[in-house]
Amino acid sequence: SSDLDTLSMLQEVAPKPLVLRQIPIWERGIVTGYVDLALERAHIYREHAASEIVEMKGEVQAREGEARFQMLEKLADYNEHLMEELLSDVPPPRDEIFADLQRDLVEGHIVPVFFGSAERDNGIRRLLKALRHETPEVERVANRLGFGGKDTVLRVMKTYHSAHGGKLSLARVLSGQVKDGMVLYSDHKEARVSGLFSLKGEGQIKLVEARAGDTVALGRMDNIATGEILSSAKTGARTNLTAETLVPVYAMAISAADRKDEVKITTAIAKLRDEDPSLGFEQNPELHEMSLFGQGEIHLKVAVERLASKYGLTLRTSRPRVPYKETIRKAVSQRGRHKRQSGGHGQFGDVVLEVRPQPRGAGFAFEEKISGGVVPRNFIPSVEKGVVEYLKQGPLGFPVVDVAIALTDGSYHSVDSSDAAFQTAARIAMAEGMPHCGPVLLEPIMHVSVHVPSDATANVNAVVASRRGRILGFDAREGWKGWDTVEAEIPQAELHDLIVELRSLTQGVGTYEQHFDHLAELVGKVADHIVSSRKAA
């Protein structure tokens, strides 16, 4: 069944045994309730209400007996008395089972597994009850994280920006006590608590103080981010706690629907990223484009909807553009002459430029090879400036890279020559010479590390091939039993929805990381389409 498939897939990547605490009750392919394996009770879900206990019989009872025995077997690995009871077919008392479940969780031997639907409010009360009664006390948490003593220590778990109350940092007090007005420290930063609250839905209940184990909201901790450890000690808390950062796997280009809102975007997104550190944001000056990065299309759609509802920002969204470049294959020498006479001083600039290709990745180079002062030295920087200006958009419509330009000849007028005239002459020489240099499109190629369960590795090879990619090799994923990492090179243009395909192949668990590797020539129908689309735009 799908629930056991999901559990076995999770177990493959979990460092500790997963202990199933419930099994689902299925009706016509839909989960209508669950059986609690510790209490041996069957419950039927009621939407937005507590579940209802029903009689357990037939197939459900048979499945419950088998699943419960498997749960007890895992617990018996850490309890000799329970092992003896199972071997002797003696039913263990419920109190003993709950004590074992709690102790094994507290000591870090097992991970209990519950299930439900947050959308329908199913299973949530049972999970909250387990969190209340079975999770370790705060002193154990502090010891596990490597600190204790009299210092006040808090961990910021979440950040909110309320409409009128400013920034709120939701934090759990791990040791000591915290009071309103108290100064706390984190990584050589300090912040004063401006308001101490207990949150209940949208409501805020003002507190005088909070103690270890409490979860509270701290007001106006403006320079403190989600995940930080706060301490009353000026040196900050010494802890072995590390915050996990999620690698972005999906991007969406954004722009303001109303131009007057453009100035608000960066401030609003900064607040949104305070609340959700897994969001990324980038402004690309070359593409004149802003992009949001996250864990998938729905993640980013929710972010855009929150920007609209919370900050009144209506955004247009689109697929991000690819930063194509272009280069040349042949060398050319070209004269550029700019002469204009319109009363008074005229404009005169005359240059001969040698344009030649450079090796991939060598970048741009400019030199002057003139003799006899045919172009005065004070105008040579203007020639280079004109060349650089042209290279922002070459004959194919993209920034030009890996070219060398040499100023080899030219002439000037003692009155009419100027910086502007020589800039224009250089641009003319480039515009007339570059189309004869064999211009060619370059696309960015990314190094991609795809992480999937081993049974999906063969499918990943096919996915890479279908995206014009090249497999570099694969190996077992370090620290992940039953997983592989496939290394590949894939064009950036083919990566936009890769995460969607990976997740569909792997029941949602596959992922990848990427970084820029190199630029590669792109020719043929794909290149022709890109160039024609650029010209049309």
Side-chain angles (χ1 to χ4, degrees):
S1 62
S2 61
D3 51 301
L4 294 178
D5 290 343
T6 304
L7 186 71
S8 63
M9 183 171 284
L10 290 170
Q11 184 63 78
E12 285 180 1
V13 298
K16 296 175 182 177
L18 303 183
V19 175
L20 193 61
R21 292 285 302 272
Q22 305 165 318
I23 59 168
I25 298 172
W26 292 90
E27 277 188 35
R28 300 184 187 91
I30 296 170
V31 176
T32 58
Y34 69 93
V35 179
D36 187 307
L37 298 178
L39 288 170
E40 292 192 283
R41 286 182 191 157
H43 298 250
I44 295 298
Y45 289 135
R46 295 289 178 252
E47 194 162 352
H48 305 303
S51 58
E52 189 178 303
I53 297 175
V54 295
E55 186 183 352
M56 184 169 48
K57 53 189 177 181
E59 185 199 348
V60 172
Q61 192 165 19
R63 285 176 50 228
E64 184 274 339
E66 184 183 342
R68 188 170 193 267
F69 185 77
Q70 289 174 353
M71 178 187 79
L72 295 176
E73 273 191 320
K74 288 189 177 180
L75 296 179
D77 288 340
Y78 310 102
N79 186 319
E80 286 186 14
H81 183 255
L82 180 58
M83 178 67 79
E84 289 169 5
E85 288 176 322
L86 293 182
L87 292 172
S88 306
D89 286 330
V90 176
R94 276 184 190 162
D95 289 350
E96 182 184 351
I97 294 171
F98 274 108
D100 283 352
L101 283 165
Q102 183 176 15
R103 184 178 59 252
D104 291 347
L105 172 60
V106 166
E107 292 178 2
H109 296 315
I110 64 166
V111 178
V113 177
F114 298 84
F115 61 84
S117 167
E119 188 178 1
R120 294 181 173 274
D121 195 20
N122 294 335
I124 308 306
R125 288 170 178 80
R126 184 68 195 87
L127 175 63
L128 291 174
K129 194 172 180 181
L131 287 170
R132 179 183 178 186
H133 293 293
E134 298 181 31
T135 51
E137 294 296 324
V138 69
E139 292 83 5
R140 281 183 173 270
V141 177
N143 290 333
R144 178 169 55 83
L145 297 179
F147 61 85
K150 296 179 181 179
D151 289 336
T152 297
V153 178
L154 303 90
R155 184 189 185 192
V156 179
M157 302 181 297
K158 185 80 177 147
T159 302
Y160 299 100
H161 284 276
S162 57
H164 306 293
K167 181 176 177 178
L168 288 175
S169 300
L170 190 68
R172 188 181 188 203
V173 186
L174 297 171
S175 69
Q177 58 185 26
V178 61
K179 295 182 179 181
D180 194 3
M182 191 173 183
V183 176
L184 298 170
Y185 301 88
S186 171
D187 293 332
H188 308 293
K189 295 183 292 186
E190 68 173 66
R192 185 179 296 276
V193 179
S194 299
L196 186 65
F197 309 96
S198 173
L199 297 185
K200 189 173 183 180
E202 293 290 320
Q204 299 175 15
I205 303 164
K206 196 162 179 61
L207 302 174
V208 175
E209 68 172 21
R211 297 178 178 276
D214 292 342
T215 299
V216 292
L218 312 175
R220 300 191 181 281
M221 310 288 280
D222 292 332
N223 60 340
I224 302 300
T226 301
E228 287 194 49
I229 301 290
L230 300 171
S231 173
S232 57
K234 286 191 176 184
T235 54
R238 304 281 178 207
T239 171
N240 54 26
L241 184 67
T242 55
E244 181 187 8
T245 54
L246 294 172
V247 178
V249 290
Y250 194 87
M252 180 185 286
I254 59 170
S255 60
D258 189 334
R259 291 199 64 169
K260 69 177 171 49
D261 286 339
E262 286 179 357
V263 292
K264 297 182 194 173
I265 288 179
T266 52
T267 304
I269 288 178
K271 289 182 177 179
L272 201 64
R273 292 185 68 202
D274 269 350
E275 297 181 351
D276 182 0
S278 65
L279 280 172
F281 177 63
E282 181 183 275
Q283 290 178 290
N284 189 317
E286 183 185 298
L287 296 173
H288 306 290
E289 186 174 80
M290 292 182 287
S291 293
L292 274 178
F293 298 88
Q295 298 308 301
E297 186 178 14
I298 293 173
H299 184 205
L300 297 186
K301 278 186 174 179
V302 169
V304 169
E305 285 168 9
R306 289 182 65 201
L307 287 168
S309 62
K310 198 166 183 177
Y311 302 103
L313 279 174
T314 304
L315 299 182
R316 293 194 189 96
T317 62
S318 59
R319 182 170 175 162
R321 285 155 58 197
V322 177
Y324 292 106
K325 303 285 192 292
E326 61 179 275
T327 191
I328 57 173
R329 288 171 164 169
K330 295 190 298 184
V332 163
S333 182
Q334 178 69 46
R335 180 177 291 273
R337 203 160 188 266
H338 176 60
K339 183 178 181 181
R340 183 176 295 168
Q341 195 70 42
S342 55
H345 284 314
Q347 295 181 39
F348 183 85
D350 177 33
V351 295
V352 176
L353 299 179
E354 180 184 87
V355 185
R356 67 180 189 276
Q358 292 236 88
R360 192 70 58 246
F364 167 71
F366 179 86
E367 61 179 328
E368 53 89 9
K369 297 180 179 178
I370 57 172
S371 56
V374 292
V375 174
R377 304 212 71 79
N378 57 308
F379 291 138
I380 290 174
S382 303
V383 176
E384 183 176 0
K385 192 174 179 182
V387 168
V388 169
E389 190 65 31
Y390 171 82
L391 293 178
K392 290 178 181 176
Q393 187 172 313
L396 302 182
F398 298 94
V400 182
V401 296
D402 299 338
V403 294
I405 312 294
L407 173 62
T408 59
D409 202 358
S411 61
Y412 74 102
H413 189 281
S414 57
V415 176
D416 293 345
S417 285
S418 64
D419 289 328
F422 272 98
Q423 278 187 50
T424 304
R427 284 199 299 271
I428 290 170
M430 294 297 293
E432 292 180 357
M434 282 287 289
H436 303 293
C437 292
V440 62
L441 191 66
L442 296 174
E443 69 171 343
I445 306 296
M446 313 301 283
H447 184 111
V448 183
S449 301
V450 182
H451 308 298
V452 292
S454 302
D455 57 6
T457 303
N459 290 332
V460 170
N461 295 343
V463 168
V464 170
S466 71
R467 293 171 182 266
R468 298 191 288 118
R470 183 170 73 93
I471 296 286
L472 301 176
F474 69 92
D475 205 345
R477 186 180 185 186
E478 189 177 348
W480 290 61
K481 183 184 174 184
W483 277 58
D484 286 337
T485 296
V486 179
E487 304 289 351
E489 288 179 352
I490 306 176
Q492 185 177 338
E494 304 288 344
L495 286 178
H496 176 65
D497 60 351
L498 174 63
I499 191 62
V500 178
E501 192 169 6
L502 283 181
R503 285 174 178 164
S504 70
L505 285 174
T506 61
Q507 292 184 271
V509 298
T511 188
Y512 73 93
E513 297 146 23
Q514 59 162 323
H515 63 264
F516 173 77
D517 194 83
H518 65 280
L519 290 169
E521 288 188 12
L522 180 62
V523 295
K525 287 184 179 179
V526 177
D528 294 342
H529 174 72
I530 292 164
V531 172
S532 60
S533 298
R534 175 74 169 193
K535 287 181 178 174

